[in-house]
Amino acid sequence: MIDNIKYTLIGFFVLIFQWMLGDLFSIYDITPNFLVIYIVYVGLTSSQLRAIWLGFILGFIIDALTATSMIGISSLALSLVGYLAGVFHDRIVRIPVIMQYLLYTGFIIVFFIITVLISFQDSQWTVGNIVFLILLPKTLYTLGILSGSFILLRVGAD
Amino acid sequence: MSPSVSPLSRYKPLVNLLTALAVSLAIIGSNGTPLFNQARALIMESAAYLYVPIRWIESISTIQKDYRELQQEHIKAQIELNKFKTLVYENQRLKNMLGFKGEKSFQVIPANVLSDVGSYTMNSLTVDQGSQDGVELLSGVVDAKAQLVGKVVALSQNTALVQLVSDKNFRVSVREMRSRDVGILSFTLSKGYVIQDVPKNAEVIAGDSVVTSGFSDIFPEHIFVGWVSDISPVVEDYVKSVQVDLATDFNRLEEVFILK
């Protein structure tokens, strides 16, 4: 119970940080997503169920606060990322470091594929432009921040 | 003997995931319904309280400087206004002589910007005026220089979410001031802000001013949008696209004005 409250409060802190200060980290309109980093962290270090439902709730709130179309897409994507990260809960320390980072990249790509590609389905932008100018830069930027955070928090280390 | 795991607990995470996905899809499907709008308004309203202390500190620190700037602007604007009053009177008199109908009038609601989100996927900002202050859905929003900012797409009692011109889903009917050609302005990844489907014989040149056309209930005409920056070659033999530099500086927006 206490863990639930703790992770939820931290989640809301991350959400407020993303909402109020996310733009400060923007480089050429590419903003990292701190929520996906947090959900991956919860999935790997806490529990799969918590990651799924925290992802759902935080995703819905951030969409309600910022999205101009397709509200609910972030909750869908973050729930899925929470589930995928939770699959490796307790197992992540036994996986080689390179594989760990490939997994993290996969989690982030799954999130951005869902949020970016679906929200752009009705735009006139080509898939190549969306992938190379938005999806990949966002993924790499978020991965960079995730890597730094996880090294500091010793996620995946024995 | 190892304890047996019930099938239900084995599939518990998967069942939870499927439930979360199903609810998410239901939310996506119910976008825009009254119940959904109420839930969204509640979240926006609650989040706006986070900005109260920040706005208070900001306003205290900048109020003196803002006041001086406003005084200067006011004097300049007053001189301009006197000029325009004469022109409006003359224009009205000529229109009356020709039998034109009157123009739509609108009110202006000033609002402070609480937060903004800018990225390729979405561009929006939250302001501290809501339905209680008379703001309505799809009201146009301009900045202090009456330049186009966006439109209201979601409302709570005391806040409103504004979709910016730079959002990928934003479209607005605009008019090129010199040639008087009309087109739809939208944002494209490859060329930036573009007026699509301008007739190939339109006499548009770089530097021309672009304003709203007034062909909608959201924006009155003559709201300044920006300047023509480039004209692409003719596409498909009969239309060309005109690239536009927006006048509004979205990074410096602190106050906006909602048109009612």
Side-chain angles (χ1 to χ4, degrees):
Chain A
M1 183 65 186
I2 290 171
D3 269 0
N4 275 340
I5 295 169
K6 186 180 84 180
Y7 279 101
T8 309
L9 284 178
I10 298 172
F12 276 107
F13 175 78
V14 176
L15 182 133
I16 291 164
F17 185 81
Q18 176 82 51
W19 181 54
M20 293 171 92
L21 302 173
D23 268 7
L24 292 180
F25 294 84
S26 181
I27 301 173
Y28 293 109
D29 270 358
I30 299 295
T31 313
N33 195 301
F34 299 102
L35 285 173
V36 72
I37 297 174
Y38 180 65
I39 294 301
V40 171
Y41 173 77
V42 174
L44 291 175
T45 60
S46 177
S47 91
Q48 196 175 23
L49 290 185
R50 191 171 285 140
I52 292 170
W53 288 110
L54 258 181
F56 172 80
I57 293 166
L58 298 178
F60 175 66
I61 296 174
I62 198 73
D63 271 357
L65 288 175
T66 60
T68 55
S69 61
M70 293 286 274
I71 294 141
I73 201 76
S74 295
S75 47
L76 188 148
L78 284 174
S79 307
L80 186 59
V81 169
Y83 175 82
L84 293 174
V87 169
F88 297 92
H89 172 55
D90 283 345
R91 270 187 260 173
I92 195 74
V93 289
R94 295 196 292 273
I95 298 173
V97 175
I98 292 175
M99 281 300 291
Q100 284 183 20
Y101 280 89
L102 284 175
L103 278 174
Y104 301 154
T105 312
F107 298 149
I108 297 169
I109 280 186
V110 165
F111 173 77
F112 284 125
I113 281 178
I114 295 172
T115 52
V116 173
L117 283 188
I118 291 183
S119 69
F120 272 77
Q121 63 180 335
D122 57 343
S123 74
Q124 296 168 350
W125 300 3
T126 62
V127 174
N129 273 345
I130 296 168
V131 169
F132 288 107
L133 295 177
I134 300 170
L135 199 146
L136 284 181
K138 266 177 172 287
T139 302
L140 292 175
Y141 194 2
T142 305
L143 181 68
I145 293 176
L146 179 144
S147 307
S149 319
F150 279 17
I151 288 168
L152 287 175
L153 296 166
R154 296 186 57 76
V155 178
D158 284 325
Chain B
M1 200 172 136
S2 64
S4 63
V5 181
S6 73
L8 195 67
S9 62
R10 185 189 294 171
Y11 293 112
K12 201 173 165 188
L14 191 60
V15 171
N16 274 270
L17 172 70
L18 292 176
T19 311
L21 295 187
V23 178
S24 299
L25 289 172
I27 291 170
I28 294 169
S30 65
N31 275 201
T33 59
L35 182 69
F36 173 84
N37 287 343
Q38 276 177 5
R40 191 177 193 191
L42 187 71
I43 293 170
M44 286 166 62
E45 194 74 33
S46 313
Y49 285 110
L50 293 169
Y51 270 96
V52 172
I54 298 171
R55 291 297 311 174
W56 186 76
I57 293 167
E58 275 180 3
S59 62
I60 292 290
S61 61
T62 59
I63 205 158
Q64 185 73 25
K65 182 171 158 276
D66 286 351
Y67 177 69
R68 282 192 190 138
E69 282 177 7
L70 279 173
Q71 268 187 322
Q72 291 172 1
E73 289 289 324
H74 176 72
I75 291 166
K76 283 183 201 165
Q78 200 62 47
I79 296 166
E80 287 290 307
L81 183 66
N82 289 340
K83 273 194 240 170
F84 286 124
K85 270 182 181 170
T86 316
L87 291 171
V88 166
Y89 176 72
E90 185 183 332
N91 184 267
Q92 195 60 50
R93 190 170 51 83
L94 292 170
K95 276 187 173 178
N96 287 342
M97 286 166 68
L98 292 168
F100 277 103
K101 286 183 180 173
E103 289 173 359
K104 279 188 278 184
S105 63
F106 54 86
Q107 290 178 320
V108 176
I109 302 169
N112 289 311
V113 175
L114 294 179
S115 75
D116 57 6
V117 176
S119 71
Y120 277 123
T121 46
M122 60 183 87
N123 273 290
S124 60
L125 54 83
T126 311
V127 296
D128 66 352
Q129 299 286 305
S131 54
Q132 223 167 37
D133 309 290
V135 179
E136 292 169 0
L137 268 182
L138 300 181
S139 301
V141 180
V142 297
D143 67 2
K145 293 176 182 170
Q147 295 166 157
L148 187 65
V149 170
K151 68 182 177 203
V152 175
V153 290
L155 267 179
S156 72
Q157 279 192 331
N158 293 305
T159 62
L161 186 76
V162 178
Q163 180 187 29
L164 300 180
V165 189
S166 47
D167 189 273
K168 70 178 176 60
N169 292 318
F170 195 95
R171 306 279 185 278
V172 59
S173 172
V174 294
R175 183 187 293 282
E176 199 277 311
M177 285 276 272
R178 200 178 49 81
S179 72
R180 311 301 293 164
D181 281 297
V182 174
I184 303 291
L185 179 80
S186 59
F187 181 70
T188 64
L189 192 58
S190 51
K191 293 179 184 171
Y193 302 95
V194 170
I195 308 172
Q196 307 277 10
D197 302 339
V198 176
K200 73 170 182 181
N201 56 354
E203 292 173 3
V204 183
I205 55 171
D208 283 352
S209 297
V210 177
V211 296
T212 53
S213 69
F215 291 165
S216 79
D217 291 332
I218 301 175
F219 300 104
E221 60 183 326
H222 304 313
I223 292 178
F224 192 64
V225 176
W227 304 270
V228 172
S229 60
D230 199 8
I231 298 115
S232 75
V234 174
V235 182
E236 293 172 4
D237 293 336
Y238 57 93
V239 288
K240 56 187 172 186
S241 65
V242 174
Q243 291 167 48
V244 175
D245 283 340
L246 287 192
T248 313
D249 184 354
F250 294 104
N251 292 324
R252 293 184 180 199
L253 280 180
E254 290 178 15
E255 300 91 20
V256 292
F257 298 86
I258 300 164
L259 308 175
K260 188 186 167 192

